[in-house]
Amino acid sequence: MADVTLARLGVIAEQRWGLFTTAQAATVGIARKQLSRMAAAGAIERVAHGVYRMAGAPSVGHETIYATWLALGGATAPRADTGVPALVAAGTTAATVHGIGDFLLDELDYIVPARKGTRLPGVRLRIRRLAPDDVLPVDGLPTLTVERTIADLVDLGTDMSLVAGTVRDAVRAGKLLSADRLAEHLDVIGRRTGCEVAADLFELSGIRPEGFRGD
């Protein structure tokens, strides 16, 4: 029976970084009390509120980001009417997932299509309407694209020297796929602020990305 239970959980966990939630376990007939007993026996490990890792499964980098996404229902929530996942890593959280920038993650940031509450500490949920090309999966986690992430950092009022460092990291790693797409996102912010955001940011970064057609 124990082997069957572990096999059921394993099927779920192998889809998402070796992790699963209590809600997902319930769909295959495994109750919370049973999970508690399995955790006490060392068969699974609790990594966040309502989220467990299979024993022996490797821990992914920045596991808290992925575990929190699961705890918030990211794996089961229906997509927005635009087809975008209901929970998307954003801001410094997205930058960390992409491996660009140098940020201290004192808060995990996700975008949702409609109002959503949470009691999880250190989590910010922002309502934004995203287009499908604003999002891509990074190791299976729905995340703002690099271009959209950088613009999001600017929009949040992040220190521009830190954003410039993020641009440098993205360019050097070959992760900034469309400088003009980034400029389009930044121009939207510029029209609100009256600043030449794209040109100023690229100048501050000391890098003129290939393909940027700005003056």
Side-chain angles (χ1 to χ4, degrees), residues 67-183:
T68 300
W69 183 84
L70 284 172
L72 290 167
T76 55
R79 290 175 176 262
D81 57 7
T82 57
V84 173
L87 203 69
V88 177
T92 57
T93 303
T96 300
V97 171
H98 283 297
I100 55 176
D102 185 16
F103 299 103
L104 178 64
L105 283 182
D106 54 356
E107 183 177 58
L108 298 181
D109 194 359
Y110 303 90
I111 285 176
V112 294
R115 185 175 179 82
K116 176 182 175 67
T118 180
R119 294 182 179 179
L120 295 178
V123 174
R124 173 169 59 176
L125 300 177
R126 292 185 283 133
I127 301 173
R128 295 288 188 278
R129 185 173 178 84
L130 298 173
D133 60 1
D134 288 332
V135 181
L136 83 166
V138 180
D139 294 329
L141 181 75
T143 307
L144 291 181
T145 63
V146 166
E147 293 80 7
R148 190 68 171 79
T149 294
I150 293 169
D152 194 41
L153 292 170
V154 174
D155 204 22
L156 289 169
T158 308
D159 186 301
M160 288 298 281
S161 65
L162 293 177
V163 182
T166 304
V167 172
R168 286 193 293 271
D169 287 350
V171 171
R172 290 167 180 166
K175 294 182 177 181
L176 185 65
L177 302 181
S178 174
D180 275 333
R181 181 66 171 159
L182 170 57

